[in-house]
Amino acid sequence: MLILNRTSDVPAEARKSAIAIGNFDGVHRGHRVLLDTARSIARAQGVPSAAMLFEPHPRELFQPDKHHFRLTLLPRKLALLEAQGLDVAVVIPFDRAFASLTADAFIADILVRDLGVSHVIVGYDFQFGKGRGGTPPLLQDAGARLGFGVTVVEPVRTQGHVYSSSAIRARLAAGDVRGAGAMLGHWWRVAGTVVGGAKRGTGLGFPTANLALPPGTELGHGIFAVRVWLDGQCHPGAAYNGTRPTFDNGAPVLEVFLLDFDGDLYGREIEVEFVDFIRE
């Protein structure tokens, strides 16, 4: 998958794409309908399939004093997009200059002039441009005038519930990692560097890897069944998220125990997939 971090000087192989636009936080089942639609249209038209996303998340620009719970940081998001079989990912640097673009300017300058899109796919609630003035109907009108197609994807539901990033965050905050995984279409995963702990677990014969969750992450407290990815290898494990009232009752920590690993993990990068809630 070709990754572009700007829309100027776009290579020929990335132009005229069928492009899905969104934040794609989580790349969940609802997002996949947009991505599948982009791939299907691209295949029919003989053009590249693409996704446009924004980094950082717009909320981080407009609310810098708040920590926002992001389901997927950029490297994981790009890996998930690539797994969907897309040809191109356009990562738009979301800064004050970009945020000041009107909806009309975004369409004319970014979509038409820079990318030369053939088709645009958005969700029913997509808003864009300065003051969120752009809407799917406005995009459809512009497409009819400027020569590109527009597909608006309606809400994707399961058992009456709409797949959404906010709904997934709520499940994770309640500790329902299995329910979150069902809505995502994959296990929710966090990544980080193993930090030093008090080594009490090692003294008890159960060494654990302490991991700092990204700021803003809200995961219910308890014990979870997990899978741990280390150097491309997957290890079954158990994890505890919460305070440690027996010792210090300080800030919540994530402690992970690999069931089939013996060695020092301090300072190493690991990824933890949450499979199921075991108990409080």
Side-chain angles (χ1 to χ4, degrees), residues 14-19 21 52 107 110-120 146-149:
R15 291 181 59 82
K16 300 181 180 179
S17 66
I19 189 166
I21 306 177
M52 176 185 289
I107 294 169
I110 305 297
L111 297 183
V112 176
R113 182 192 68 194
D114 292 353
L115 296 173
V117 298
S118 64
H119 205 100
V120 176
L146 299 173
F148 60 88

Side-chain angles (χ1 to χ4, degrees), residues 24-32 35 71-73 76-81 83-84 163 165 168 172 176-190 227 229 271-276:
F24 300 112
D25 190 19
V27 193
H28 57 64
R29 290 184 183 275
H31 294 146
R32 292 185 186 191
L35 302 172
L71 297 173
T72 44
L73 299 182
R76 172 66 172 159
K77 188 182 297 186
L78 291 173
L80 289 169
L81 291 173
Q84 293 302 300
Y163 290 116
S165 300
I168 294 166
L172 291 172
D176 182 14
V177 295
R178 179 174 288 276
M183 298 190 78
L184 284 165
H186 53 85
W187 303 124
W188 178 63
R189 183 185 295 196
V190 294
R227 301 197 308 174
W229 292 90
E271 294 181 279
V272 183
E273 287 183 330
F274 289 79
V275 176
D276 207 354

Side-chain angles (χ1 to χ4, degrees), residues 36-201:
D36 288 346
T37 302
R39 285 193 300 108
S40 178
I41 293 172
R43 191 181 306 114
Q45 296 183 355
V47 298
S49 60
M52 176 185 289
L53 54 150
F54 309 96
E55 185 67 25
H57 193 287
R59 290 177 183 171
E60 296 182 23
L61 177 70
F62 295 123
Q63 299 175 320
D65 56 330
K66 295 183 179 180
H67 290 306
H68 299 284
F69 183 2
R70 295 185 58 174
L71 297 173
T72 44
L73 299 182
L74 184 60
R76 172 66 172 159
K77 188 182 297 186
L78 291 173
L80 289 169
L81 291 173
E82 185 171 23
Q84 293 302 300
L86 296 176
D87 298 311
V88 181
V90 182
V91 183
I92 299 289
F94 197 89
D95 54 20
R96 291 287 177 183
F98 181 80
S100 69
L101 282 179
T102 65
D104 289 338
F106 172 76
I107 294 169
D109 297 346
I110 305 297
L111 297 183
V112 176
R113 182 192 68 194
D114 292 353
L115 296 173
V117 298
S118 64
H119 205 100
V120 176
I121 302 92
V122 297
Y124 68 100
D125 57 351
F126 179 64
Q127 293 178 297
F128 63 100
K130 184 178 180 180
R132 299 168 67 87
T135 61
L138 184 148
L139 189 60
Q140 289 172 318
D141 290 343
R145 286 186 288 104
L146 299 173
F148 60 88
V150 176
T151 296
V152 180
V153 175
E154 294 302 314
V156 182
R157 302 176 183 273
T158 176
Q159 299 178 346
H161 298 288
V162 175
Y163 290 116
S164 72
S165 300
S166 58
I168 294 166
R169 293 187 193 101
R171 287 182 180 266
L172 291 172
D176 182 14
V177 295
R178 179 174 288 276
M183 298 190 78
L184 284 165
H186 53 85
W187 303 124
W188 178 63
R189 183 185 295 196
V190 294
T193 302
V194 176
V195 297
K199 302 188 181 299
R200 296 187 184 94

Side-chain angles (χ1 to χ4, degrees), residues 179-249:
M183 298 190 78
L184 284 165
H186 53 85
W187 303 124
W188 178 63
R189 183 185 295 196
V190 294
T193 302
V194 176
V195 297
K199 302 188 181 299
R200 296 187 184 94
T202 300
L204 296 171
F206 297 97
T208 57
N210 296 317
L211 198 67
L213 291 175
T217 302
E218 295 183 19
L219 175 64
H221 292 182
I223 298 173
F224 301 87
V226 300
R227 301 197 308 174
V228 181
W229 292 90
L230 173 67
D231 296 333
Q233 299 294 316
C234 182
H235 302 267
Y240 169 71
N241 183 57
T243 60
R244 297 174 291 185
T246 302
F247 301 110
D248 56 30
N249 206 28

